[in-house]
Amino acid sequence: MKTYHIKTYGCQMNYSDSERMETYLQALGLSPCKDYKTADLIIFNTCSIRQKAEDRVFSEIYKVEQLKKKKKDLLVVVTGCMIRKSSSRYSTERDALFPRMAALDIALRIDELPSLASLMREIQPALDIEAIEEESLEDYFQINASHSSHEAKTQAFVAISNGCDKFCTYCIVPYSRGREKSRKMEDIIAECEKLVEIGVKEITLIGQTVNSYGLGKADEESGKFANLKEKEPFVALLEKLDLLHEKGLERVRFTSPHPQDMSDQLIEAMAVLKTQMPYLHLPVQSGDNRTLKRMNRTYTIEQYREIIKKLRAKIPDISISTDIIVGFCGETDEEFEKTLKFYEEMAFEHAYIAQYSQRRGTTADRFMKDDIPQKVKKQRWHKLNFLLVKMAERGYKRFLNKTVNVLVENQNGKTCMGRSEHFKAVQFNSGRKLLGQIVPVKITRAREILLEGELV
Ligand code: SAH
Ligand code: SF4
Ligand code: F3S
């Protein structure tokens, strides 16, 4: 039997896509292989969000090039966000990557996954793989994720949409993943039901702008969600998932939402649904209106502030984290200072801070100047990170001497690790087998990125 090895980079969406690929490859009769050196097929599921992410992929592919010199029939596939269009080594429409990667046989855009088998046969006609009917797969979302990486079977990621219509000027995603398309609600529910049946307690819904589920242009045109007149599709989905609480689903999280679609309906749902948690990751990107405008973020800081105010009014102890880009085109010292101030004002408890990295083909690349020197980007990153650490500490300390509910995701001997409802990592000891259970833990110590406590 032929074997495959998948190397995954980037965000949860890519990890979820890799699980979809596993299902597909196993249906072709291939089996997984832990060591890439012995696999017959190596797949790189790439990320393109920053130059660093691409560089990492290129250096790994270089190693495989060396391997391929010895192993002539090794098949190398590159997919994920570095690919704009599917093609094989023999296609006339060669992707720009081919000249840069001698080892590459197939470039595959992830939503074209159903055509992988035929591309593989094009390269190796004698390849012994099962036949799969491409036409039977309307879109790649119909291939279910294998969920093989959730060995503990306590928590799982479920993709609900792919692509993005927002076109932030710095971002590659609308180009790499294409237009936003939502998965059918019945399919999502069916997948979640199965997960709950095998004991999954926490489900994280994922999408590029997860809360615009069902609102993208393509979804509107298809009329897929026309029956939901008053209710937003995302809220309807959260309500349906909440019904699975009776069957054992305890927690539903989602990432990443976009501020534009943080409606009152959604905030209300977060406050009242049993499976909703007091935690939200809501990317703001900058605390300055002019910068937000240049980024084509479709809200002002006043509107963002209003959302947070409403959330805190309904869910008083909610924990909020964010994403911020420093050193975007034209960002002045004054604009950056506003981001620092806003960060403090919003009392974010965590953030992913990125230094702006120009991406080929984006609006910022075509019409703006990447004019902030590397040194300044770095300085701003450190300055904001300093604040982040200070604020994060405060976010952890507020749980000292309190009892929090922890979903145990990992148990090594007596050491149990899990997350609280507020998404804080918690560690404690227990002689009992607690994997997959939600247990009360009294917090006795707040470390920099960890809470420690005792089972109550
Ligand atoms: N859809 C999400 C973000 C997805 S990308 C949203 O709209 O918030 C994840 C994060 O990568 C972004 O939030 C942003 O902070 C960062 N990012 C995206 N493009 C970038 C670029 N060109 N340079 C630096 N950081 C970038
Ligand atoms: Fe990128 Fe903006 Fe879409 Fe997020 S909303 S994926 S940052 S274009
Ligand atoms: Fe990277 Fe694509 Fe995710 S660019 S961050 S893998 S959506």
Side-chain angles (χ1 to χ4, degrees):
M1 191 190 258
K2 296 268 182 194
T3 59
Y4 68 85
H5 179 92
I6 306 176
K7 278 188 185 289
T8 311
Y9 306 80
C11 66
Q12 271 316 325
M13 201 64 195
N14 261 17
Y15 283 85
S16 178
D17 285 341
S18 287
E19 293 188 337
R20 236 174 283 288
M21 271 192 277
E22 294 225 31
T23 305
Y24 180 85
L25 295 169
Q26 286 169 21
L28 292 180
L30 298 163
S31 63
C33 165
K34 283 220 164 78
D35 183 8
Y36 78 95
K37 289 195 188 103
T38 56
D40 302 300
L41 165 70
I42 301 179
I43 301 186
F44 290 90
N45 192 4
T46 63
C47 173
S48 190
I49 204 80
R50 288 184 283 278
Q51 190 55 44
K52 263 195 196 143
E54 286 199 4
D55 292 345
R56 219 169 287 145
V57 174
F58 278 119
S59 71
E60 284 288 313
I61 290 183
Y62 177 74
K63 282 190 214 154
V64 170
E65 258 175 46
Q66 306 308 312
L67 185 66
K68 197 164 174 171
K69 281 182 190 148
K70 286 180 258 161
K71 228 177 136 180
K72 291 279 183 269
D73 57 352
L74 170 69
L75 266 176
V76 182
V77 176
V78 178
T79 183
C81 290
M82 278 167 71
I83 306 298
R84 304 286 163 85
K85 200 165 186 190
S86 290
S87 52
S88 83
R89 153 150 67 94
Y90 300 127
S91 307
T92 42
E93 281 194 75
R94 288 183 159 218
D95 195 274
L97 282 174
F98 280 91
R100 293 185 65 186
M101 295 184 192
L104 175 59
D105 295 300
I106 294 168
L108 182 85
R109 195 168 132 156
I110 190 65
D111 57 357
E112 294 169 312
L113 176 59
S115 59
L116 177 58
S118 55
L119 286 167
M120 274 163 45
R121 276 198 207 93
E122 196 181 312
I123 305 283
Q124 286 186 16
L127 195 67
D128 179 27
I129 49 176
E130 307 276 332
I132 264 199
E133 283 192 37
E134 261 177 56
E135 297 72 33
S136 66
L137 297 167
E138 209 178 295
D139 60 57
Y140 93 113
F141 266 146
Q142 287 183 318
I143 304 166
N144 267 329
S146 64
H147 293 291
S148 62
S149 56
H150 310 299
E151 275 165 34
K153 303 276 189 288
T154 56
Q155 92 87 32
F157 292 93
V158 172
I160 66 166
S161 58
N162 182 38
C164 183
D165 285 352
K166 296 277 194 296
F167 285 95
C168 302
T169 53
Y170 52 80
C171 184
I172 197 72
V173 174
Y175 306 91
S176 56
R177 286 188 173 267
R179 295 291 57 70
E180 185 176 332
K181 266 193 200 151
S182 298
R183 205 173 153 197
K184 275 192 205 140
M185 206 177 297
E186 308 90 88
D187 293 354
I188 300 170
I189 305 284
E191 182 175 350
C192 292
E193 274 174 344
K194 268 195 211 144
L195 288 166
V196 174
E197 266 166 34
I198 60 166
V200 166
K201 296 259 180 6
E202 175 178 300
I203 287 175
T204 305
L205 305 174
I206 54 174
Q208 264 72 43
T209 52
V210 73
N211 57 337
S212 63
Y213 171 75
L215 302 177
K217 281 201 193 82
D219 296 325
E220 216 172 276
E221 281 159 19
S222 72
K224 228 196 280 184
F225 298 93
N227 60 332
L228 295 164
K229 289 206 179 64
E230 304 287 309
K231 193 149 282 168
E232 284 166 22
F234 186 62
V235 173
L237 176 64
L238 293 184
E239 287 179 355
K240 287 219 165 118
L241 289 175
D242 203 56
L243 299 176
L244 295 180
H245 184 248
E246 282 171 18
K247 295 187 177 159
L249 181 62
E250 298 283 347
R251 300 173 168 189
V252 175
R253 303 185 190 273
F254 52 88
T255 195
S256 285
H258 190 288
Q260 183 188 315
D261 303 303
M262 276 312 297
S263 65
D264 291 351
Q265 267 188 35
L266 175 52
I267 294 172
E268 183 63 26
M270 285 186 71
V272 302
L273 296 179
K274 291 189 281 296
T275 50
Q276 281 299 298
M277 292 293 113
Y279 168 72
L280 186 69
H281 180 75
L282 189 63
V284 66
Q285 310 300 357
S286 165
D288 171 75
N289 278 335
R290 283 161 306 178
T291 312
L292 286 176
K293 196 149 197 190
R294 289 198 302 282
M295 288 177 163
N296 192 32
R297 295 296 284 186
T298 51
Y299 50 88
T300 60
I301 60 157
E302 288 76 18
Q303 286 166 324
Y304 189 95
R305 184 184 281 128
E306 197 55 32
I307 295 166
I308 303 297
K309 211 168 122 193
K310 284 182 193 166
L311 278 163
R312 292 207 161 118
K314 300 252 177 196
I315 314 162
D317 67 342
I318 189 167
S319 164
I320 294 166
S321 59
T322 198
D323 284 354
I324 290 178
I325 298 176
V326 296
F328 182 60
C329 309
E331 186 187 63
T332 62
D333 283 334
E334 187 207 338
E335 288 172 358
F336 173 65
E337 289 298 323
K338 281 198 175 162
T339 297
L340 287 173
K341 254 197 170 146
F342 194 64
Y343 191 97
E344 197 149 19
E345 186 199 330
M346 290 298 104
F348 290 125
E349 292 187 4
H350 184 64
Y352 294 101
I353 313 169
Q355 298 175 36
Y356 172 61
S357 163
Q358 194 170 39
R359 309 315 295 137
R360 203 156 37 88
T362 57
T363 305
D365 170 40
R366 285 183 290 148
F367 302 109
M368 294 174 206
K369 228 173 152 179
D370 182 12
D371 54 357
I372 308 301
Q374 209 61 45
K375 209 174 113 199
V376 176
K377 284 181 186 170
K378 214 174 242 169
Q379 279 166 352
R380 288 181 185 166
W381 187 93
H382 281 293
K383 213 164 169 186
L384 183 54
N385 193 56
F386 185 77
L387 179 62
L388 178 155
V389 173
K390 189 179 97 183
M391 304 288 292
E393 205 180 346
R394 209 185 286 175
Y396 279 96
K397 282 213 168 117
R398 72 183 174 111
F399 293 101
L400 263 179
N401 299 319
K402 295 212 168 105
T403 297
V404 300
N405 293 319
V406 179
L407 169 59
V408 182
E409 292 173 39
N410 222 312
Q411 185 164 18
N412 197 345
K414 280 191 167 176
T415 313
C416 297
M417 284 286 292
R419 289 209 183 249
S420 71
E421 291 173 343
H422 294 80
F423 205 57
K424 303 280 184 225
V426 182
Q427 187 180 313
F428 63 96
N429 286 333
S430 172
R432 292 194 348 240
K433 274 201 173 147
L434 294 176
L435 193 65
Q437 291 187 41
I438 294 177
V439 291
V441 176
K442 187 165 179 204
I443 302 306
T444 51
R445 192 172 166 204
R447 303 227 320 239
E448 216 169 85
I449 47 159
L450 183 73
L451 294 174
E452 287 177 0
E454 287 158 8
L455 202 59
V456 180

